[in-house]
């Protein structure tokens, strides 16, 4: 199972982390990945100045925008 954690702290929230969560929820449903992907929210990832913080399996943080979130999901979760 892949665990995706999106920061919903105040800075990331203001930058659109709610939109990232909504897009990831839609992608998980669209690709029928409900049993393969755990989407979670957390507070501060200590990277407030670099965009929305998202971790995949706790290893890597990507500093996204709502627009770039879909491409990162496709690359990390769906693969090449």
């Amino acid at each position: 199972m892949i665990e995706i954690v999106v920061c919903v702290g105040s800075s990331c929230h203001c930058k659109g982390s709610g939109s990232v969560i909504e897009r990831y929820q839609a992608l998980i449903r669209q690709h029928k990945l409900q049993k393969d992907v755990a989407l979670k929210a957390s507070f501060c990832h200590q990277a407030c100045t670099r965009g929305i913080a998202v971790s995949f399996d706790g290893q890597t943080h990507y500093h996204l925008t709502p627009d770039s979130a879909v491409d990162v999901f496709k690359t990390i979760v769906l693969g090449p």
Side-chain angles (χ1 to χ4, degrees), residues 1-5 55-60:
M1 173 162 297
I2 296 171
E3 181 181 75
I4 302 171
V5 181
S55 66
F56 292 82
D57 283 337
Q59 297 180 9
T60 307

Side-chain angles (χ1 to χ4, degrees), residues 40-78:
K40 300 178 179 183
S42 74
F43 288 101
C44 199
H45 288 213
Q46 303 300 317
C48 301
T49 62
R50 297 185 290 181
I52 301 164
V54 179
S55 66
F56 292 82
D57 283 337
Q59 297 180 9
T60 307
H61 285 80
Y62 291 88
H63 305 288
L64 307 177
T65 65
D67 292 332
S68 67
V70 173
D71 290 335
V72 172
F73 183 94
K74 288 179 179 177
T75 300
I76 301 297
V77 177
L78 301 179

Side-chain angles (χ1 to χ4, degrees), residues 2-36:
I2 296 171
E3 181 181 75
I4 302 171
V5 181
V6 180
C7 179
V8 294
S10 57
S11 180
C12 288
H13 172 73
C14 289
K15 291 175 181 146
S17 63
S19 293
V20 171
I21 291 171
E22 289 173 3
R23 290 174 191 201
Y24 283 176
Q25 288 172 329
L27 285 164
I28 290 166
R29 282 191 306 272
Q30 176 185 351
H31 294 282
K32 298 179 181 10
L33 297 171
Q34 293 89 336
K35 293 183 181 181
D36 300 314

